[in-house]
Amino acid sequence: MSHSPLRSLSEHACFGGVQGFFEQQSREIGLPMRAAVYLPPQAQKGPVPALLYLAGLTCNEETFPIKAGAQRVAAELGLALIAPDTSPRGPEAEGVPGATASWDFGIGAGFYLDATEAPWATHWRMESWLMNELLPAATAQMPIDGTRMGIFGHSMGGHGALTLALRHPGRFASLSALAPISAPSQCAWGEKAFGGYLGPDRVTWLAHDASALMRSQKTAPYPAGILVDQGLADKFLADQLLPEQLEAACKAVGQPLTLRRHAGYDHGYYFIQSFVGDHLAHHARSLLPG
């Protein structure tokens, strides 16, 4: 499928590389969508591997570049970082159900899937935008090696990273997550989102539930291992995130999983800052030679 080009909105020098912000007229969503791309200094000499980072509820494309502090490590390792917005928004989205008419923080709850139910199905097609438009445009326009790409995310974005990695086998070479919604069909956040976007048939939800998808695997999809970090002071841990469900699913299919539980850490970006370097290093082991 053809895709629209990424239009540059701004560029900023950062750790010897460039932090850029872009807009794409999405045919899948029918609205302009935004994304941030960090190119490390190594990209000046040729294509580099990339990580797709998916953010959580209430975030937009600026949240991760501003708050996570990942560019320093990405520059050291030679990794590009792609961080899309989390849902349709902006002045063109005025009147679209669930979207906001400004580029400030809005609902941000796309859940990285393609909605099938009215009134969401027309514009809430996050999976197709990412896979069919954003990533192809980024790899076509920028010095990014599309054959060496990892995926990770936080909270709702952790759910997105896990599910997209399992739904698109072979597309991503490495996978990790920070405080992911691990079993959305079994928690209130997921029930609300899936019920609205996918309808009342809970069987259809399982195609977007990381723990259910993992249990359906015949062999370990990531034999080099999956890294998940979880704060034990996270107020959403017991009722919404359910990492024990993913842990059990990985064990059932022989998928290596490093699930690290950290005392004192909550759900926010101080937690992400503390461990994002470990996640970039985890991906680098699969994406970089040697």
Side-chain angles (χ1 to χ4, degrees):
M1 179 180 176
S2 62
H3 54 265
S4 300
L6 296 173
R7 181 175 66 88
S8 177
L9 300 175
S10 66
E11 291 187 346
H12 313 273
C14 186
F15 291 104
V18 178
Q19 177 65 63
F21 294 90
F22 300 87
E23 184 174 282
Q24 182 179 39
Q25 184 61 50
S26 170
R27 295 184 176 125
E28 291 281 4
I29 290 177
L31 294 165
M33 295 294 295
R34 290 189 176 183
V37 180
Y38 176 70
L39 293 175
Q42 293 87 340
Q44 298 170 19
K45 298 180 180 180
V48 296
L51 299 183
L52 176 64
Y53 173 84
L54 304 181
L57 289 160
T58 76
C59 298
N60 66 13
E61 79 285 352
E62 293 184 324
T63 312
F64 180 75
I66 291 173
K67 291 187 174 183
Q71 293 95 332
R72 178 184 60 79
V73 179
E76 294 172 357
L77 295 172
L79 296 173
L81 302 171
I82 304 170
D85 200 352
T86 55
S87 66
R89 76 181 86 229
E92 293 87 350
E94 187 171 1
V96 172
T100 57
S102 75
W103 286 108
D104 295 327
F105 294 90
I107 184 171
F111 265 77
Y112 303 104
L113 51 76
D114 290 353
T116 59
E117 298 295 301
W120 312 101
T122 301
H123 297 292
W124 294 73
R125 296 179 52 79
M126 293 295 295
E127 180 174 3
S128 289
W129 171 54
L130 292 174
M131 303 304 298
N132 299 337
E133 296 186 286
L134 177 61
L135 293 183
T139 55
Q141 290 180 230
M142 301 177 192
I144 290 174
D145 183 350
T147 67
R148 292 187 293 160
M149 186 168 293
I151 185 169
F152 72 135
H154 169 242
S155 192
M156 178 185 74
H159 140 78
L162 293 166
T163 57
L164 292 185
L166 295 173
R167 286 172 56 80
H168 298 271
R171 184 66 184 85
F172 301 101
S174 54
L175 171 62
S176 72
L178 295 129
I181 304 173
S182 294
S185 65
Q186 301 179 47
C187 72
W189 284 347
E191 289 178 341
K192 180 179 180 181
F194 287 1
Y197 293 147
L198 303 175
D201 183 358
R202 299 177 73 97
V203 174
T204 66
W205 299 4
L206 301 181
H208 300 277
D209 182 302
S211 296
L213 283 167
M214 184 61 74
R215 286 187 178 276
S216 72
Q217 305 297 307
K218 291 183 170 49
T219 59
Y222 287 88
I226 299 169
L227 173 63
V228 173
D229 279 301
Q230 176 62 60
L232 292 179
D234 188 326
K235 64 182 179 180
F236 305 116
L237 173 57
D239 295 332
Q240 304 289 1
L241 304 180
L242 309 180
E244 66 278 2
Q245 294 290 334
L246 179 65
E247 189 174 35
C250 286
K251 183 177 181 180
V253 300
Q255 168 60 54
L257 171 69
T258 300
L259 174 54
R260 306 191 302 183
R261 296 172 168 92
H262 305 279
Y265 286 91
D266 61 20
H267 196 68
Y269 267 80
Y270 297 113
F271 160 65
I272 294 174
Q273 289 173 23
S274 300
F275 301 106
V276 71
D278 292 347
H279 282 254
L280 268 62
H282 164 80
H283 289 275
R285 286 190 285 273
S286 295
L287 300 177
L288 294 172

